Amino acid sequence: MAATDPMLGGADFRTRLQNWLPKIVLAPSFAVMVIFVYGFIAFTVYLSFTGSRMLPSFDLVGFQNYERLFRIREWDTAVTNLAIFASLYIIICTIIGLMLAILLDQKIRGEGLLRPIFLYPMALSFIVTGTAWKWFLDPAIGIENTMHLWGWASFEFNWIKDREMAIYTIVIAAVWQSSGFVMAMFLAGLRGIDNEILKAAQMDGASTFQMYRRIILPQLRPAFLSAFVILSHLAIKSYDLVIALTGGGPGNATALPATFMYSYTFTRNQMGIGASSAVIMLMTIAAIMVPYLYAELREKK
Amino acid sequence: MKKLSTGAAVLALSTTAITSAAQAQDVEVLHWWTSGGEAAALNVLREDLAGGGIGWTDMPVAGGGGSDAMTVLRARVTAGDPPTAVQMLGFSIQDWAAEGALADLNALAEEQNWNEVVPEALQRFSTYEGNWVAAPVNVHSTNWVWANTALMEELGIEQPGTWEDFVAAMQTAADAGYTALAHGGQAWQDATIFDSMVMGVGGPEFYQAAMVELDPDALGGSQMVEAFERMATLRGFVDDNFSGRDWNLASAMVINGEALFQIMGDWAKGEFVNAGLTAGEEFQCFRVPGTEGTVTFNSDQFAMFNVADEGDQASQVAMASAVMSPEFQIAFNVVKGSAPARTDIDASAFDACGQAAMADLAAAGEAGTLFGSMAHGHANPPSVQNAMYDVITAHFNGEYDAETAAAEMVTAVELAQ
């Protein structure tokens, strides 16, 4: 039987090529991935332990950058903001996305038209979303001004100019952008549920609410998980939305870890501190992703 | 590839015609002067060089303040392919010189006597360890107040000479329903007015101790608290919708007569002039009350990078020489709104504000009261500058009171060093 094993000399050239081809074709992209993703992650981790200022340098300074990072007030602001932004963003997107999906799933007329309308904000970049919402929310030209022009003089909506509330305007814009996408994921999940089970439940006299509560939502678990993972990493890397919407202001009120990282690495010549903030962000994402991957891979077995 | 081929060309040149002087090459210039007036001003330089047979490869990176341009530059230098000349501000020049990335212009400086005609406070940035590495283009002073003359007359306001008068004038405007101070809520704009408050409260010695020497006692002391209190006073005269506004929109408020004053560097003059207003007549410029006799400045310079090619080096010298020529200094600065970087230039081509700026600059240079602006990266390195921005903008937006802000200044500066 050894002669038919393609890995051995007995096999003809064609068979051997067919076996090696995928590996050969994948090798360059694999190598590129290893260098440009994992190599640079390792480089960033290394930089975070050096005294790099304007350009990378290689003199190790231990944990000094991390010590400084956690003493910087703006980092506290950025982390607090991320906590507010990420939790609200994920929760609201999930709720709105799920509601929209359930309503669209009622076999309503015009679904084909409504679905893309909800989904299309995702086709815009965060820069566009940010710029558009900056105008809507600006009291002098946006919603507040429009309401005044329509005669509702006492209407007030100046969150974007308010230090305490500005972070919530970012949540508004981000939710507008992403909830349609979450809806699409849930809709796909809903369509994947076996009709026979639902029919059986109906025959047993389950109400619609009970059906959603006991059968449909539990079956959407994978969709919930994917939505959570995608939304949380979108939240942690949020950068362009903040830059376009508020520029990090008023003051530093809407700074996020990503804006912090860019500013320290590239405009303040404190690359070491920037790198250490990037490492903290990576660890945050890893803390979410690793348990998820672990759960996913274990289920496959 | 381009570098390779020019290298080959020079090699061929040097072997065939060893006696001929190195051929001047095109200059590649990285800058962020992309607005209409700035680009027109830069064209003067481009044509000047073209007259000497030197081509110009433009490498504009839009984005005011140049932080995007600096990111591009970092990538180019790291890749071993620096542009010939780069528009640069303040400490960036020193940082690049410290990396050994800048060329030496000493021979030209010696020949053209730059040591005599360029104010010493500027040389602090154009030279590194005694060697000339950059050619200064202009001096912007940042402690100006821009005022709408018609509005001043309507309200019966004289040009204020003291801080108290200044506050009283703004109060009059506010009472009459105008915005007293047009301001854009961006960190660098907050810091620009902060510079003047520090100078106004404590004078040159305090500015030197706090902003340049970063003495913790000065940074956290009672004078700093007072400077922050003045900031709070100014905040009271700014309209509610200031956050995130660009500086030129704030200038437009003064131009349109919606607002009385703006505290801004003299690039604001360009907005007034473009709107068809005449300096000294339809709009006024005067030093921020309390800072008369002192000038806080920033200066655009062309830093020359270390290039191996002799032809490139010759072009660099030609370009530096053109930048420093009185004709270019006049042509450029009349358009840009700034004062020339040399003190020996005839002021007749400039408008009233330009002439005042040149006279103030020369006087401050003589008296030793010419100081680099913290807000524009000429008083301390970018890391410290931005740390100060954080505190100033947080205070201006109401996060800290004056005492906390002064204490935070000490911590922020310590962490940034």
Side-chain angles (χ1 to χ4, degrees), chain A residues 54 68 73 140 161 266 268, chain B residues 74 241 243 408 415 417:
Chain A
M54 188 170 68
R68 287 187 166 208
R73 278 294 257 280
K161 303 288 182 184
F266 297 112
R268 303 189 176 207
Chain B
R74 210 184 305 250
N241 198 25
S243 170
E408 277 297 317
L415 286 174
Q417 272 174 322

Side-chain angles (χ1 to χ4, degrees), chain B residues 278-301:
Chain B
T278 314
E281 291 170 20
E282 284 139 311
F283 71 95
Q284 305 284 324
C285 51
F286 54 91
R287 296 290 170 186
V288 178
T291 70
E292 293 92 350
T294 60
V295 172
T296 47
F297 74 91
N298 77 53
S299 164
D300 288 302
Q301 316 218 5

Side-chain angles (χ1 to χ4, degrees), chain A residues 53-55 68 71-74 138-140 160-161 163 250-252 262 264-271, chain B residues 67-68 71 74 78 95-96 99 241 243 382-383 386-387 390 393 397-400 408 414-417:
Chain A
R53 309 282 297 195
M54 188 170 68
L55 294 172
R68 287 187 166 208
R71 285 181 60 200
I72 294 174
R73 278 294 257 280
E74 210 197 347
D138 190 319
I160 198 168
K161 303 288 182 184
R163 186 166 56 83
N252 303 325
Y262 183 86
Y264 272 74
T265 311
F266 297 112
T267 61
R268 303 189 176 207
N269 292 355
Q270 288 191 288
M271 202 175 268
Chain B
S67 57
D68 296 343
T71 309
R74 210 184 305 250
T78 315
D95 283 352
W96 282 111
E99 299 282 341
N241 198 25
S243 170
S383 53
N386 281 289
D390 290 345
T393 194
N397 283 284
E399 204 174 326
Y400 305 139
E408 277 297 317
E414 180 210 323
L415 286 174
Q417 272 174 322

Side-chain angles (χ1 to χ4, degrees), chain B residues 1 53 61 77 111 131 136 164 212 262 298 308 345 355 386:
Chain B
M1 198 62 210
V61 181
V77 174
E111 186 190 317
N131 297 314
E164 286 71 28
V212 182
Q262 181 187 19
N298 77 53
I345 295 218
Q355 290 180 358
N386 281 289

Side-chain angles (χ1 to χ4, degrees), chain A residues 160-179:
Chain A
I160 198 168
K161 303 288 182 184
D162 183 336
R163 186 166 56 83
E164 303 286 340
M165 304 305 286
I167 187 72
Y168 300 104
T169 65
I170 296 186
V171 176
I172 295 174
V175 164
W176 176 85
Q177 163 108 338
S178 306
S179 41

Side-chain angles (χ1 to χ4, degrees), chain A residues 114-159:
Chain A
L114 286 173
R115 215 172 30 196
I117 287 178
F118 287 125
L119 190 56
Y120 264 171
M122 195 69 187
L124 297 177
S125 75
F126 270 118
I127 289 280
V128 179
T129 307
T131 311
W133 278 93
K134 182 166 85 174
W135 293 332
F136 294 146
L137 296 169
D138 190 319
I141 54 175
I143 298 172
E144 184 178 310
N145 186 41
T146 313
M147 289 301 163
H148 290 181
L149 290 178
W150 288 352
W152 185 357
S154 63
F155 183 85
E156 213 177 286
F157 188 61
N158 58 355
W159 284 9

Side-chain angles (χ1 to χ4, degrees), chain A:
Chain A
M1 287 315 246
T4 57
D5 188 335
M7 287 299 157
L8 295 181
D12 63 84
F13 177 71
R14 205 185 152 88
T15 324
R16 263 188 302 169
L17 188 66
Q18 266 177 354
N19 274 287
W20 279 99
L21 201 59
K23 296 189 179 90
I24 293 168
V25 171
L26 281 179
S29 68
F30 181 74
V32 165
M33 193 84 88
V34 165
I35 294 168
F36 286 93
V37 176
Y38 300 97
F40 283 172
I41 287 176
F43 187 58
T44 305
V45 173
Y46 182 77
L47 278 185
S48 75
F49 291 104
T50 67
S52 301
R53 309 282 297 195
M54 188 170 68
L55 294 172
S57 74
F58 300 98
D59 55 317
L60 290 170
V61 295
F63 281 93
Q64 188 191 312
N65 287 326
Y66 291 92
E67 282 163 20
R68 287 187 166 208
L69 178 68
F70 285 105
R71 285 181 60 200
I72 294 174
R73 278 294 257 280
E74 210 197 347
W75 176 249
D76 287 351
T77 315
V79 172
T80 317
N81 280 343
L82 180 64
I84 297 173
F85 170 67
S87 51
L88 286 178
Y89 171 64
I90 294 170
I91 292 170
I92 299 177
C93 269
T94 311
I95 293 174
I96 294 182
L98 185 62
M99 291 315 243
L100 289 175
I102 289 176
L103 295 178
L104 272 187
D105 197 39
Q106 307 303 311
K107 309 278 186 296
I108 56 167
R109 238 190 303 166
E111 191 203 319
L113 180 71
L114 286 173
R115 215 172 30 196
I117 287 178
F118 287 125
L119 190 56
Y120 264 171
M122 195 69 187
L124 297 177
S125 75
F126 270 118
I127 289 280
V128 179
T129 307
T131 311
W133 278 93
K134 182 166 85 174
W135 293 332
F136 294 146
L137 296 169
D138 190 319
I141 54 175
I143 298 172
E144 184 178 310
N145 186 41
T146 313
M147 289 301 163
H148 290 181
L149 290 178
W150 288 352
W152 185 357
S154 63
F155 183 85
E156 213 177 286
F157 188 61
N158 58 355
W159 284 9
I160 198 168
K161 303 288 182 184
D162 183 336
R163 186 166 56 83
E164 303 286 340
M165 304 305 286
I167 187 72
Y168 300 104
T169 65
I170 296 186
V171 176
I172 295 174
V175 164
W176 176 85
Q177 163 108 338
S178 306
S179 41
F181 171 67
V182 177
M183 174 207 76
M185 277 200 292
F186 281 125
L187 202 54
L190 285 173
R191 295 285 148 84
I193 293 172
D194 192 350
N195 257 339
E196 298 301 315
I197 303 176
L198 298 182
K199 277 184 192 147
Q202 243 166 358
M203 256 185 256
D204 289 345
S207 69
T208 315
F209 177 77
Q210 278 176 322
M211 246 160 51
Y212 274 103
R213 165 89 180 68
R214 301 271 177 199
I215 301 172
I216 298 178
L217 291 187
Q219 292 215 39
L220 284 179
R221 196 175 141 267
F224 272 110
L225 261 178
S226 326
F228 175 69
V229 167
I230 291 173
L231 290 176
S232 55
H233 96 258
L234 277 177
I236 290 168
K237 72 181 187 189
S238 277
Y239 173 81
D240 33 10
L241 182 65
V242 180
I243 294 298
L245 190 65
T246 63
N252 303 325
T254 50
L256 286 179
T259 60
F260 179 96
M261 190 283 288
Y262 183 86
S263 132
Y264 272 74
T265 311
F266 297 112
T267 61
R268 303 189 176 207
N269 292 355
Q270 288 191 288
M271 202 175 268
I273 292 180
S276 59
S277 70
V279 170
I280 301 285
M281 283 163 67
L282 179 72
M283 282 162 54
T284 317
I285 295 180
I288 297 168
M289 291 298 282
V290 169
Y292 169 72
L293 287 177
Y294 180 74
E296 284 289 292
L297 293 177
R298 204 186 47 177
E299 267 174 25
K300 293 273 157 59
K301 276 178 190 170

